[in-house]
Amino acid sequence: MSFDIDVEARRGDFTLKVAFQATPGLTALFGPSGAGKTSILHMIAGVMKPARGRIAVDGQVLFDSAAGINLKPEDRRVGYIFQDARVFPHMSVQENLLYGYKLAAARYAAPDHIIDLLGLARLLGRRPASLSGGEQQRVAIGRAILASPRLLLMDEPLASLDDGRKQEILPYIERLRDELKIPILYVTHARAEVDRLTAVVIGIENGHVTPRAG
Amino acid sequence: MFDLSPAEWEAVRLSLKVGLWSTLLSLPPGFFLAYVLARFQFPLKSLLSGLIYLPLVLPPVVTGFILLLLFGTRGPIGQFLEQVFGIVIAFRWTGAALAAAVMGLPLMVRAMRLSIEAVDTRFELAARTLGAGWWRTFFTVTLPLSLPGVIAGAVLSFAKSFGEFGATITFVSNIPGETQTLPIAIYSFLQSPGGEGPAIRLAILSIVVSMVAIIGSEWLERRVVTRVRPT
C-alpha cells in the first residue's frame, strides 16, 4: 500500500500546492497553524475539491482532474480521525465502533482485536456523553479503523486534550502505527508528538512542502 | 358533568381524527421543507419561507377562503382532484384535515428547522468518511439528531389542528358528523339557547387534550434529548 498526492487548490489569495508520497507507517505532516495541513486532509478525504491534480491510494485513483475522477467521501475508504472526536452522541460506544464496520465491503480489522488494542472493552455499553475526551478519541480511532480504510488521516488528534490525556492516547497510536499495514498521515504542529511518533516528516508551510524538514 | 351526548362525542372524535391525519400527512413535506430551509441557500428562499409561514399571520378566514377558491368544487385544484381521482374534499372531513394541516405547517416547520439547524454537520461528515452515503447518513445521523424538534413540531401541529377554527369553518363549513370539529361544535352550542352546558364540557375536554399533548411531548422530548445531546 502506498499513497500519492499531487494537487493544487486556491482559497482566496491562499494557494496550496503540494506533492508527496507516503508508505505504510506513520508520516507526520508538520507545520504551523494555517499552513494548509487540514486542507490537504480534506482534499484526500473528498470533502474539498482540488483545483487540479491527482490523488491515489494503492494504485486506485481517488481524484484526478485530468481524467475527471472525483470519488465521493464514502467511496474512498479513507479513514479520518478529527481533532474533536465526533463520536455519534445518539449511539452507544459499540454502535459507534461498528458503524463503519457494517458498511465496509472489504474488512481487515476484527472488532474484538481493535477493541482489545484500544482498551475499549469496558466502555462498549456506554453513551459518548459519559466518556472523557481521551476515551471519546479512542472510540473515534477504533471506529475509523474498523471501517477498514486503506489510508488513515489523523488531524491533530491530541490537540484538544490536556497533557495527561495525551500521554494516555499516545501509546495506542504507537501500537496502531506498528500494527496497521496502511499509511497514516498524522497532522500536527507539536514537535514533541512528531519526535515521539515518527522519523518520516513532511514539513508544510504556507501551502507548500518545505524542502527540508528537520 | 361528563356524560357527553353522542353529538358531543362525535365532535371530539372528529377533532382527534382531523388532528392526527393532518399531522401525519404534513410530517413528510414539513420535514422536507424544514430541511431545505435549514440547509440550503437559494434564490427566492425568503419567498418560500414566507409562503409557509403566511397562515401564521394571515387572518384564518382568509386562509380558509383561499383554500375554498383553490380546492372548492369550482376551484382549479378541486376540479382536478374530482375529475382525475374522483376525490372531493370540500365540505368533507378530509377538507378539514387539509385546512388544519395548512394552519399547522408553519409551527411544524419552524420547530423542525431550528432542530435541523442545530445538528452539527461535522457528525454527518464523519459518517461519510466511514462509508455511509448521503441517504444512510440522513437516516442514521441527521434524522435521529433532529428528533426532538420533529416531535415538538408534530405536537404543535397536532394541537393546532385539533383546535383549528377559522380556516376550517370557512373552507368546509359546519356540518355535524362531517366537519363539525370540537371548536366548531363549541361555537355552535354557544349560538343556540341552552347550549352553555355542552359548550363548557367541550371546553374542559379541549383543555384536557391540550394539556396531555403538551405534557406528553415534553416527556418524550426529554427522553430523546438525554439520549441525543452531549451533556
Side-chain angles (χ1 to χ4, degrees), chain B residues 59-146:
Chain B
V61 62
V62 174
T63 304
F65 183 45
I66 293 170
L67 287 173
L68 193 60
L69 290 175
L70 291 175
F71 290 89
T73 39
R74 289 165 190 276
I77 304 176
Q79 282 191 338
F80 173 80
L81 287 177
E82 186 175 358
Q83 280 160 15
V84 178
F85 301 103
I87 298 172
V88 177
I89 58 173
F91 306 109
R92 304 281 166 85
W93 75 269
T94 44
L98 175 68
V102 169
M103 294 299 288
L105 195 67
L107 299 168
M108 177 183 267
V109 169
R110 183 165 171 73
M112 290 181 176
R113 177 184 181 171
L114 291 174
S115 179
I116 295 166
E117 278 170 352
V119 172
D120 197 330
T121 55
R122 292 176 305 172
F123 289 122
E124 296 169 356
L125 183 57
R128 299 292 293 275
T129 67
L130 291 165
W134 192 92
W135 283 104
R136 185 180 296 274
T137 302
F138 176 81
F139 281 110
T140 58
V141 177
T142 318
L143 189 58
L145 288 178
S146 55

Side-chain angles (χ1 to χ4, degrees), chain A residues 159-178:
Chain A
S160 57
L161 304 175
D162 59 45
D163 279 339
R165 299 296 179 193
K166 282 180 189 167
Q167 296 312 315
E168 173 197 319
I169 303 271
L170 273 165
Y172 292 113
I173 295 178
E174 287 173 319
R175 272 197 234 170
L176 290 176
R177 172 199 64 194
D178 298 337

Side-chain angles (χ1 to χ4, degrees), chain A residues 21-37:
Chain A
Q21 281 89 42
T23 50
L26 194 146
T27 301
L29 294 184
F30 176 66
S33 306
K37 305 187 297 295

